[in-house]
Amino acid sequence: MQSQLTSDRIWRVLNTAERNGQRCGGPVLLSGLVVGAGIVELSAGPLGQNSRFSLELLTLLVLQLVGPLLVSLLAMALMMPNWLDRVERHGSRAWLISVPASALLAAVLLVLFLISSLCAGALTTPRSDLIGEAQALLSGVALQDVLRAMLRCSFFLAGICAWSQWRGYQELKRKRHPALMVSNLLIEGLMVLFALKLLWITVLDPIRLQASSL
């Protein structure tokens, strides 16, 4: 009986993540195209860097800074009404499905964002050997860095989802207007995102500065 309940919950989590992915996939892909083309255009244009450096800079920014934050922010804005709807239908137990589904969705969306931004960057920067440089770029992307970025994005979105559904449950008990709740929770979710980012870089994965040898 317990295994049946666990299997049913896993299926509901996967089904919820799939439905949410259909809602968030398009905006995330489009954002990746814009970010990839914009960063490479800036690096190769006003900054005067070569194509290889521009793509390496794009990969670094996407994995370390832009990707997890932007993907979490977009998913939060798109999924907030759905999160509140689940709270209204399932009460305080809504997080049992929403939080794992959000964590899984965030990891997939981060990969989509990375792929779309690299494709846009590779097509934007001028070069004579497109295939060769693209292969060199992909060979230089460490799997560990990608997995760390996916974990960071999952941590961000799951935390925002948990906070938003807890706060939404409290506000629903006070009979607050749904439109006002969404507006307030978007602002609170943004603050939670920044707090989680600060927690990640200071406690979970601190930046280590190494003094240069003289």
Side-chain angles (χ1 to χ4, degrees), residues 33-183:
L33 293 175
V34 173
V35 169
I39 291 178
V40 169
E41 184 67 26
L42 175 64
S43 177
L47 298 181
Q49 301 296 330
N50 58 45
S51 59
R52 180 69 60 84
F53 178 84
S54 300
L55 290 176
E56 290 176 352
L57 175 63
L58 171 63
T59 304
L60 178 65
L61 290 177
V62 167
L63 292 179
Q64 299 295 332
L65 180 62
V66 178
L69 286 175
L70 185 55
V71 168
S72 300
L73 184 61
L74 284 173
M76 176 191 69
L78 292 168
M79 296 311 304
M80 186 66 73
N82 290 18
W83 290 343
L84 294 180
D85 180 66
R86 290 192 61 86
V87 171
E88 191 172 7
R89 288 188 288 113
H90 300 285
S92 60
R93 297 178 61 84
W95 69 272
L96 293 174
I97 301 298
S98 299
V99 172
S102 298
L104 179 60
L105 174 64
V108 176
L109 291 179
L110 192 277
V111 174
L112 292 178
F113 185 86
L114 174 63
I115 293 174
S116 62
S117 62
L118 290 181
C119 289
L123 294 175
T124 301
T125 177
R127 58 171 61 86
S128 58
D129 184 13
L130 176 61
I131 302 299
E133 292 198 20
Q135 290 177 345
L137 173 66
L138 293 178
S139 64
V141 177
L143 179 60
Q144 181 180 0
D145 294 337
V146 177
L147 293 177
R148 185 182 291 114
M150 293 170 63
L151 179 62
R152 185 185 305 120
C153 193
S154 296
F155 173 68
F156 290 165
L157 191 58
I160 295 171
C161 177
W163 171 266
S164 300
Q165 292 201 314
W166 178 77
R167 287 284 292 128
Y169 180 69
Q170 303 300 320
E171 295 299 314
L172 283 174
K173 291 196 298 185
R174 299 189 182 105
K175 307 297 183 182
R176 296 291 298 273
H177 193 276
L180 182 60
M181 284 193 341
V182 171
S183 176

